Each structure stands twice: as C-alpha cells, then as structure tokens.
Amino acid sequence: DQQVKQNSPSLSVQEGRISILNCDYTNSMFDYFLWYKKYPAEGPTFLISISSIKDKNEDGRFTVFLNKSAKHLSLHIVPSQPGDSAVYFCAVSTDKLIFGTGTRLQVFP
Amino acid sequence: NAGVTQTPKFRILKIGQSMTLQCTQDMNHNYMYWYRQDPGMGLKLIYYSVGAGITDKGEVPNGYNVSRSTTEDFPLRLELAAPSQTSVYFCASSYNQGAYEQYFGPGTRLTVT
C-alpha cells in the first residue's frame, strides 16, 4: 500500500513556463516533506523541504506548497529551464524517508 | 569532501553468486542507509544503521545483509544472488534521523542473470 503517490509518471514543459509536480500522501500524521531531484546515472539530491507548520516554502525558482487538508503537496518550478529535466521524487519523513515513485520532467526549448 | 562514494558502479552476477557493495561517507554522519530502485518505482529501504555496530531492517531486507564496523563504511552483502535483485542500489547518509536530508551516492547498477 503506497503511502506516498506521484500519479504522473512524466511531465513535459516548455522552457520558461511553470512546471508543477504533484504528490499525495495517505497519513495525516506525516509532518515533514522533501523533494529530491535525480539525474540519470547519479544519486538523488535534496532540493527543498517543508514542515507541516507551513503551507509554502520557497527557494529561488523552486516553491513547495502543502495542503494538509487534502494531504497533497506540489513543487512549482518557475521559470523552467532545460537543466531542470530530471526525475523528481517527493518523500515524507517519519523516522525514515518514504519515497514516491517519481515524476520525469522534461523541459524542452 | 567526496561525500558518499559507492563501488562498483556496475556489476553483472550469475544466479547464486555473492558480492559486497561498498559504501563510504566522509561527512561523519551517524546514519546510513541502503536503498534499491527498480524501474518506475521509488526507492525502497533495504537496511539502515544509526551508528557503528547498530543496524536494522528496512522495508525489503530479504536476501541482503549489512554490517557497520566504522562510522564511515556501510557495506551491503548479497548472498545467493537472484534475478529479483537486479536493481540500482543507492547508499545514503544523514547527520540525523528522519527529518534531515539524506546525501546519496551515485549508485551501483546490478544485473543478476
């Protein structure tokens, strides 16, 4: 039973536009969420996180939004750049990280 | 700092063979983890360690063993390799548990035929 779901396996966005990646979770007790980015043949790297006491966290072009009532978080990338093309994983933190299945983002010129 | 290093990068094993995947971190992190990633899937936790001498099972430990004799090293042992263990394996470390970000190695791509 998947506790963290990324229902879109892939997303294609034009350079300069907004990319929105979505993630749903099942347990309302989860209180810390992270996004990781993964390039081919590399390990995941931490991108941005958010605590449940906030509903938004911003870092440059990346913003994560948390909707606790819907048990939903999203990652916005504005403006999208070709170098953002990668697989993005959301994860929830308990005593361990529980990862979603990932969304492959392709940013085309 | 090299961060988290893993060797080998690639390996092909025959069914029934054994091998050890090496993982080393130079960040003095207490916590270390082994994950596997199958195609189209997220990362599944195999084993983790909260410090030298202490290890515990994750979500998918069957067919694997670990040890943690030093803070820096966390090798993963595969005994009697099976095709179901074909995967990409990632080692990670973190300063603390849970809410803190984990730092990942580049991965080992293992094929069992």
Side-chain angles (χ1 to χ4, degrees):
Chain A
D1 187 27
Q2 276 190 291
Q3 300 183 70
V4 181
K5 299 178 185 178
Q6 294 178 256
N7 291 319
S8 297
S10 64
L11 175 67
S12 188
V13 172
Q14 190 173 29
E15 181 178 6
R17 307 293 289 265
I18 184 170
S19 295
I20 300 176
L21 294 90
N22 295 304
C23 179
D24 298 295
Y25 59 95
T26 57
N27 190 335
S28 58
M29 298 299 290
F30 292 150
D31 61 3
Y32 198 80
F33 307 87
L34 306 92
W35 284 94
Y36 281 79
K37 176 178 176 179
K38 184 184 179 306
Y39 291 118
E42 295 184 10
T45 55
F46 170 74
L47 187 59
I48 193 169
S49 62
I50 188 166
S51 165
S52 61
I53 63 173
K54 294 184 174 182
D55 54 18
K56 176 183 171 180
N57 188 26
E58 194 171 351
D59 183 2
R61 296 185 297 113
F62 301 90
T63 303
V64 56
F65 294 91
L66 177 62
N67 182 333
K68 291 184 286 293
S69 60
K71 295 199 283 285
H72 177 83
L73 65 155
S74 60
L75 175 67
H76 293 210
I77 307 173
V78 183
S80 301
Q81 299 174 353
D84 297 328
S85 297
V87 177
Y88 290 80
F89 293 97
C90 69
V92 299
S93 178
T94 57
D95 58 338
K96 296 176 276 294
L97 290 182
I98 304 171
F99 286 88
T101 53
T103 296
R104 181 178 303 276
L105 173 66
Q106 182 182 9
V107 180
F108 59 93
Chain B
N1 283 352
V4 180
T5 57
Q6 292 182 239
T7 57
K9 284 187 167 39
F10 304 94
R11 184 73 185 267
I12 298 174
L13 278 183
K14 293 191 185 303
I15 295 172
Q17 287 185 320
S18 62
M19 75 164 295
T20 299
L21 282 66
Q22 301 291 347
C23 175
T24 300
Q25 54 94 7
D26 63 0
M27 296 173 282
N28 202 33
H29 285 167
N30 289 324
Y31 294 83
M32 295 188 75
Y33 313 84
W34 274 106
Y35 294 90
R36 59 178 286 174
Q37 186 193 10
D38 299 324
M41 303 296 289
L43 285 80
K44 302 287 187 184
L45 183 65
I46 305 171
Y47 269 95
Y48 67 101
S49 169
V50 302
I54 306 170
T55 63
D56 207 349
K57 295 177 180 178
E59 185 181 357
V60 289
N62 291 344
Y64 307 95
N65 278 301
V66 293
S67 59
R68 183 97 180 269
S69 57
T70 67
T71 299
E72 294 79 18
D73 300 305
F74 189 39
L76 177 72
R77 178 81 177 165
L78 279 73
E79 305 280 3
L80 297 174
S84 61
Q85 293 178 304
T86 294
S87 190
V88 181
Y89 292 83
F90 293 101
C91 179
S93 71
S94 64
Y95 177 72
N96 219 325
Q97 193 174 25
Y100 296 86
E101 64 173 284
Q102 295 181 11
Y103 296 83
F104 285 80
T108 294
R109 183 176 294 275
L110 175 68
T111 302
V112 182
T113 61

